[in-house]
Amino acid sequence: MIRIGIMGYGNLGRGVEAAVTKSPDMELVGVFTRRDPETVKIHTDGVKVYKLDDCKTMTDDIDVMILCNGSATDLPWMSPEYAHYFNTVESFDTHSDIPDHVDNVNAADIANDKTSIVSCGWDPGLFSVNRVMANAIVPNGKAYTFWGKGVSQGHSDAVRRIPGVKDARQYTIPIEDALEEIRDGKTPDLTARQMHKREVFVVPDDDVTEEDKQDIVDDIVTMPSYFDEYDTTVHFITEEEMQRDHSGLPHGGFVLRSGKVGYEDDQSAVIEYRLKLDSNPAFTGSVLVACARACYRLNKDGKYGCLTMLDVPPAYYSPMSRDDLLEHLM
Amino acid sequence: MIRIGIMGYGNLGRGVEAAVTKSPDMELVGVFTRRDPETVKIHTDGVKVYKLDDCKTMTDDIDVMILCNGSATDLPWMSPEYAHYFNTVESFDTHSDIPDHVDNVNAADIANDKTSIVSCGWDPGLFSVNRVMANAIVPNGKAYTFWGKGVSQGHSDAVRRIPGVKDARQYTIPIEDALEEIRDGKTPDLTARQMHKREVFVVPDDDVTEEDKQDIVDDIVTMPSYFDEYDTTVHFITEEEMQRDHSGLPHGGFVLRSGKVGYEDDQSAVIEYRLKLDSNPAFTGSVLVACARACYRLNKDGKYGCLTMLDVPPAYYSPMSRDDLLEHLM
């Protein structure tokens, strides 16, 4: 049994917990939180919630610590810190900072014979794996990443900061015509507006007038970098409608590569990878747990240091034996 | 520069040649054939064609030998044989024999500090990688593999053996309604007929009557295991039409996994991987060349033995440095 600790218990922590407790080769040892442990109720019976640094006395009890914390302020210090004590897996997703983050975590791993896999999930993560493999196989081509249909927390937050907005939810939606053009073997140059559109649902404050609503719409659709480069539709709804129709966190997207292989210039190859997820955190949690299995095995192999999913042989994610994989899934 | 040899020069060998000569980190050393080398004209200027076993005197000149031979009678002996002399990459695709084939090649590799990657391509190969990863991430789910739209050589050959048939081409076509049902998060039990249909183009012999044609159609649609479990459409065409409209070798397909993650039973996750290829051998050749790059590196790492794409970290396929991958494709 692979003994797992979970650090941080929000939506992602709950997704990880569900995936660990449903994995026959894994055991959940504890959940670690900055909140008062008494106030954190978890799903799994018989598993304790601890204060964050209680884990430092439990290094012999946990094979892999899964950090379910945020990329903005938590993981930049937590991942290097806890890599001193544990093999770790996390989902750091600030793309531009990944090289430095890998270096920071690697130093802690190497000093302690630990293995970490960072930036796990779907983007970065599964989408990265597909970008790299498709790029290597079809070098004479062009790559595209589309996101959605799904909720963007950053865009939803940006709308919530507009005066007169009580609550908001923003959906990023890929444009089907662009997808079809690429699937047909073409390699168009696409602007932001040609790849995605945005749809916003707003609950206005009680005292908002029709004129105020027009101002809110204008504020949204002209907002620099968030909305101004896209076609955006805004809908005003009630709090009840928000609760009833928009409480989920669906997401997904597409990685496509279209190009030419062989000697004939008119022969195309198109590789498409698609995710369609009713729950972004539940799926990301499932990816983290498969990565924890790989992390445990790579550490047993003596592969110390900070890795990403680009460094993991696919077989390492699976609970099946090599013989079973060759016989049933090859 | 990675020095590559190509063994066997049919459609696949030509696809490999195209991909090698377009790879800036690779050099084509020679093509090895069982035919009279004088009769084999290759694309690349300044590269020699040799008799098959001339390669045994060139072990210091070739880093990876790519075997472009058939799975039925060639690769079962050639892959173990040449793994004594070279790191090798090939596309053995008789799924049920893969475990034994891996064992045979492994013995030769291990005895000679060589590395082989067998069963490379898209199925087995890229589709296997996707089946294994999706299975590990969404264990509570169901997997589907669809092929096409594409030419099946085996089915085309079976039709050609029917009396009165001069030439034939068979297309395997996935059924769109089944794909859509799975993309919607459902996990239907599907029969062969519900997943694929078949379309056959036949050039009849000159003396074939209308009555003979009806017999040919009956022979095709009732042919056990090849056609009887599918809905099949048969078209009679002229030799000119066959040449003009059906001389390509397009193929492709879909690997899908649909299941549940997290605690809520009504929340689904769907993973889809799709290939759409104008030329099956040109694309398979491109995959083999990316695998040759990985094979060379894994051998340098001291990873001896027979591997499959399930054992290869994605970064190993790419000519880009690790820093560049983390910065640009993560």
Side-chain angles (χ1 to χ4, degrees), chain A residues 17 22 128 131 136-137 183 262-263 268 270 272 274 276 278 286 306 310-311 314-315 317 322 329-330, chain B residues 17 22 128 131 136-137 183 262-263 268 270 272 274 276 278 286 306 310-311 314-315 317 322 329-330:
Chain A
E17 182 191 19
K22 290 172 182 181
S128 320
R131 282 189 286 260
I137 292 164
R183 286 184 188 126
Y263 282 119
S268 74
V270 181
E272 174 175 348
R274 178 187 190 178
K276 190 160 172 275
D278 282 347
S286 292
C306 182
L310 303 181
D311 306 306
Y317 297 114
R322 186 171 194 244
L329 294 183
M330 225 13 231
Chain B
E17 183 191 20
K22 290 173 183 182
S128 320
R131 283 189 285 261
I137 292 163
R183 287 185 188 127
Y263 283 118
S268 74
V270 181
E272 174 175 348
R274 177 187 191 178
K276 190 159 172 277
D278 282 347
S286 292
C306 182
L310 302 181
D311 305 306
Y317 297 114
R322 186 174 195 242
L329 293 182
M330 227 9 233

Side-chain angles (χ1 to χ4, degrees), chain A residues 98-108 306, chain B residues 322-323 326:
Chain A
I98 290 173
D100 286 343
H101 188 66
V102 166
D103 284 346
N104 294 341
V105 178
N106 191 59
C306 182
Chain B
R322 186 174 195 242
D323 285 349
L326 290 184

